[in-house]
């Protein structure tokens, strides 16, 4: 019983000033926030020389963007160990010396950056990665650096930039992300260009530059993200800062998606046989209760199926496990008690409300009524009960349906002792990192090219490539194997990256061999999802 709509969260919600209307700043107090590697409670400024210090802007009309950017950087930094994040306005002298490296995110022009931070950067006693705005504050306070750095920076050019070339690979960039600082290397003996941005007229200039302990990127490369975006260059650049000795390695994941009581056992076995013959481990994202109350695919006859009452599907799942599969928990019903937005499991959201508007666009409305930690855990409990009734062990890896939930839900599922990891992209909200009131109207989704432990407290297994969509629907365009493989090729720029896609079994073997064998031909090695759980 194939279903036709598989709504996904956008590749990344556009993170720009449009999301920052009516911002209420949370201030710049000297509060430290410990990495999600341990917890998210305030901690004193102790010595963390193995960790990363993340500093972000908070002032001005769009100050809330700083926290969202810092959340994204913190998620990535967790791949390399512990981190602490705080507003830059609370920086005190020698704070950076307690860490192996500092990342400053300049998202607000003329942020009141403390002189103590500028002095410490000028002293170059520890590595600093500086993103975006306010580098002029450093050279104004320390004019002697103008000659010593070996490069100049101008931020007054707004010429559109739609491409960044990095390590010989052309990466996309949405011009809506804004301008990029114009960089010129004046002394090659002191400064080295990193990548190059390509302007609309075809001219090129450095995208980033390194000089001694300072690495400067001419933008904050964290908005309008996609599978081919210059964001990939930034995620690789973090290895230079935090793990320069990392060897090149390219792993891959394949996940069979939206398997449930409605699935065709023959198709599941066929897919398992193919992957097993190719010696490709795989995952199976499974929900346990199927609902189609309006009978959309049965001529108006309502359908309700439980996994425990569909033994042929249970047998197929057991067969898949025996042939290299790992079962994942993909919610409980992959739907809600009413159309959300379509009224069919595997097509609907479970942990978030949504509707289709007059323009045939899916609109995400907000948390479900009564959303709370207890409600989220109740979905987990119901699913586990049905897994047991089907005679199968409940999986420890969880995937939110359509990758969408509230911060409360993400935290509750992540904190459950039976959950070892989440396998997805996720949405991150303003207020989560800082401990302020969570604002569901300001958020960004993020994908990871390597395993992380995110701010919700759980390891996250990567998904970076999306899935085959044979035709467009709502606001989503079609995506075919050639496009997915082109993205996988671009993602090779991440030196220890993971190319990860998912696949719907109702497509049979029409596209799967092309994807699997194409990814292998690029030099990736498929591995079990469980081997990519961040400690």
């Amino acid at each position: 019983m194939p279903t036709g709509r598989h709504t996904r969260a956008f590749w990344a919600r556009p993170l720009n000033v449009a999301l920052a209307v009516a911002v209420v700043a949370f201030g710049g107090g000297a509060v430290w926030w410990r990495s999600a590697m341990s917890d998210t409670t305030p901690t004193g400024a102790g010595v963390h020389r193995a960790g990363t210090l993340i500093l972000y802007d908070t002032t001005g009309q769009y100050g809330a963007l700083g926290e969202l950017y810092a959340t994204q950087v913190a998620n990535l930094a967790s791949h390399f160990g512990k981190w602490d994040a705080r507003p830059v306005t609370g920086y005190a002298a020698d704070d950076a010396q307690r860490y192996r490296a500092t990342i400053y995110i300049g998202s607000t022009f003329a942020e009141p950056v403390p002189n103590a931070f500028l002095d410490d950067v000028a002293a170059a006693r520890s590595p600093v990665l500086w993103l975006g705005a306010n580098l002029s504050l450093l050279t104004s306070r320390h004019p002697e650096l103008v000659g010593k750095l070996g490069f100049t920076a101008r931020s007054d050019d707004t010429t559109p930039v739609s491409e960044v070339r990095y390590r010989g690979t052309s990466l996309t960039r949405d011009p809506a992300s804004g301008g990029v600082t114009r960089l010129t290397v004046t002394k090659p003996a002191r400064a080295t260009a990193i990548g190059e941005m390509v302007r609309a007229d075809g001219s090129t200039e450095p995208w980033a530059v390194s000089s001694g302990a300072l690495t400067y990127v001419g933008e904050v490369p964290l908005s309008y993200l996609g599978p081919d975006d210059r964001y990939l260059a930034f995620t690789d650049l973090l290895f230079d800062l935090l793990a320069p000795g990392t060897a090149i390695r390219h792993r891959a994941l394949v996940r069979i998606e939206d398997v449930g009581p409605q699935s065709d056992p023959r198709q599941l076995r066929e897919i398992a046989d193919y992957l097993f013959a190719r010696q490709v481990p795989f995952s199976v994202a499974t929900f346990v209760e199927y609902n189609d109350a309006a009978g959309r695919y049965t001529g108006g006859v309502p359908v309700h199926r439980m996994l425990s009452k569909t033994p042929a599907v249970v047998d197929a799942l057991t067969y898949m496990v025996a042939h290299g599969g790992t079962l994942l928990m993909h919610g409980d019903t992959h739907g809600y008690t009413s159309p959300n937005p379509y009224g069919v499991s595997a097509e609907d959201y479970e942990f978030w409300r949504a509707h289709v508007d007059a323009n045939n666009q899916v609109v995400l409305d907000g948390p479900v009524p009564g959303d709370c930690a207890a409600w989220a855990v109740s979905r987990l409990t119901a699913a586990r009960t049905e897994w047991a009734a089907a005679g199968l062990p409940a999986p420890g890896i969880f995937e939110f349906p359509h990758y969408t939930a509230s911060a409360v839900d993400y935290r509750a599922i992540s904190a459950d002792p039976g959950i070892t990891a989440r396998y997805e992209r996720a949405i991150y909200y303003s207020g989560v990192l800082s401990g302020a009131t969570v604002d569901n109207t300001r958020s960004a989704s993020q994908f990871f090219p390597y395993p992380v432990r995110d701010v919700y407290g759980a390891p996250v297994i990567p998904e970076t490539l999306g899935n085959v969509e044979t035709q467009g629907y709502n606001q989503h365009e079609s995506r075919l194997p050639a496009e997915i493989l082109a993205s996988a090729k671009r993602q090779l720029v991440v030196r220890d990256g993971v190319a990860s896609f998912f696949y719907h079994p109702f497509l049979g073997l029409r596209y799967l061999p092309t994807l699997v064998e194409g990814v292998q031909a690029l030099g990736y090695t498929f591995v079990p999802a469980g081997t990519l759980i961040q400690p």
Side-chain angles (χ1 to χ4, degrees):
M1 184 183 299
T3 51
R5 290 176 290 260
H6 296 272
T7 308
R8 275 283 176 263
F10 303 134
W11 267 107
R13 293 187 177 189
L15 183 55
N16 58 31
V17 294
L19 289 178
V21 176
V23 167
V24 178
F26 0 98
V31 177
W32 291 78
W33 298 93
R34 185 180 299 241
S35 161
M37 294 290 288
S38 50
D39 57 48
T40 54
T41 56
T43 177
V47 176
H48 303 281
R49 291 191 180 89
T52 304
L53 174 61
I54 300 165
L55 302 171
Y56 59 96
D57 295 344
T58 56
T59 69
Q61 184 180 3
Y62 306 120
L65 288 175
E67 184 194 356
L68 287 174
Y69 287 136
T71 299
Q72 293 173 291
V73 171
N75 288 334
L76 292 169
S78 72
H79 178 73
F80 304 92
K82 294 185 177 181
W83 51 266
D84 282 317
R86 69 179 295 186
V88 70
T89 52
Y91 185 91
D94 294 328
D95 280 346
Q97 288 14 281
R98 299 181 175 93
Y99 299 83
R100 67 177 160 181
T102 298
I103 302 173
Y104 167 58
I105 307 162
S107 60
T108 298
F109 285 100
E111 179 81 0
V113 177
N115 288 335
F117 176 61
L118 302 175
D119 294 344
D120 283 351
V121 174
R125 288 194 291 267
S126 62
V128 174
L129 175 58
W130 189 307
L131 309 179
N134 302 320
L135 189 67
S136 60
L137 298 178
L138 175 66
T139 52
S140 293
R141 179 164 175 83
H142 291 278
E144 74 278 6
L145 291 179
V146 174
K148 291 182 178 179
L149 288 176
F151 70 92
T152 60
R154 280 181 45 204
S155 59
D156 58 350
D157 191 326
T158 58
T159 305
V161 175
S162 58
E163 179 186 359
V164 170
R165 294 173 187 159
Y166 179 77
R167 296 187 185 276
T169 298
S170 175
L171 302 173
T172 61
R173 181 184 186 275
D174 193 323
S177 297
V180 182
T181 299
R182 301 193 68 163
L183 298 172
T184 302
V185 174
T186 56
K187 297 181 179 179
R190 291 182 177 271
T192 302
I194 301 173
E196 57 184 8
M197 56 180 174
V198 183
R199 298 189 178 276
D201 62 3
S203 62
T204 63
E205 293 172 0
W207 175 69
V209 64
S210 66
S211 175
L214 175 66
T215 300
Y216 175 70
V217 179
E219 63 165 329
V220 180
L222 295 167
S223 57
Y224 295 94
L225 309 185
D228 308 303
D229 192 76
R230 87 294 193 201
Y231 167 74
L232 297 169
F234 173 65
T235 66
D236 182 72
L237 196 58
L238 291 179
F239 285 98
D240 290 337
L241 183 74
L242 301 172
T246 300
I248 294 175
R249 175 176 56 170
H250 300 300
R251 293 172 289 178
L253 296 175
V254 54
R255 188 178 74 219
I256 309 305
E257 191 79 344
D258 292 338
V259 175
Q262 86 291 355
S263 296
D264 183 337
R266 178 190 58 80
Q267 291 175 328
L268 299 180
R269 288 172 178 267
E270 183 180 54
I271 287 171
D273 285 340
Y274 166 73
L275 294 171
F276 184 72
R278 294 288 304 183
Q279 298 184 334
V280 172
F282 58 97
S283 301
V284 188
T286 308
F287 62 95
V288 294
E289 180 178 345
Y290 176 82
N291 294 297
D292 179 2
R296 284 178 177 266
Y297 300 104
T298 54
V301 178
V303 177
H304 175 257
R305 295 179 183 172
M306 302 296 289
L307 184 63
S308 61
K309 302 300 182 183
T310 52
V313 175
V314 174
D315 288 347
L317 290 174
T318 302
Y319 184 85
M320 296 180 94
V321 171
H323 288 74
T326 298
L327 301 182
L328 315 179
M329 188 182 298
H330 195 20
D332 177 23
T333 62
H334 205 316
Y336 194 60
T337 55
S338 59
N340 194 35
Y342 308 111
V344 182
S345 291
E347 299 183 3
D348 276 13
Y349 293 82
E350 183 173 347
F351 291 82
W352 198 260
R353 291 294 284 166
H355 73 277
V356 178
D357 68 12
N359 296 317
N360 197 33
Q361 305 286 294
V362 174
V363 179
L364 301 182
D365 298 316
V368 301
D371 181 59
C372 64
W375 177 84
V377 172
S378 74
R379 307 296 286 188
L380 195 59
T381 300
R384 285 171 172 157
T385 299
E386 182 59 17
W387 280 97
L392 295 171
I397 300 175
F398 190 91
E399 178 197 348
F400 276 97
H402 297 330
Y403 299 159
T404 307
S406 69
V408 168
D409 300 337
Y410 283 122
R411 284 168 164 165
I413 298 300
S414 298
D416 186 274
I419 298 301
T420 57
R422 303 194 330 269
Y423 185 172
E424 59 193 12
R425 301 191 298 273
I427 298 173
Y428 301 94
Y429 301 93
S430 178
V432 170
L433 183 72
S434 65
T437 300
V438 172
D439 185 345
N440 291 313
T441 69
R442 298 187 179 94
S443 63
S445 63
Q446 186 178 13
F447 72 96
F448 308 110
Y450 32 70
V452 303
R453 181 180 286 265
D454 74 357
V455 295
Y456 295 127
V460 180
I461 298 169
E463 189 275 285
T464 66
L465 294 170
N467 65 296
V468 172
E469 292 290 357
T470 58
Q471 59 186 2
Y473 61 97
N474 302 124
Q475 61 263 57
H476 303 279
E477 299 177 350
S478 64
R479 186 163 170 82
L480 298 175
E483 296 168 279
I484 294 173
L485 291 175
S487 296
K489 185 176 181 179
R490 284 190 173 99
Q491 291 179 10
L492 288 168
V493 299
V494 184
R495 70 195 70 179
D496 189 13
V498 180
S500 176
F501 67 91
F502 60 94
Y503 188 84
H504 292 105
F506 62 76
L507 294 172
L509 292 180
R510 183 176 179 184
Y511 304 103
L512 188 60
T514 299
L515 285 171
V516 167
E517 292 163 36
V519 167
Q520 289 176 322
L522 289 170
Y524 290 96
T525 300
F526 282 94
V527 298
T531 64
L532 290 169
I533 296 178
Q534 183 77 3

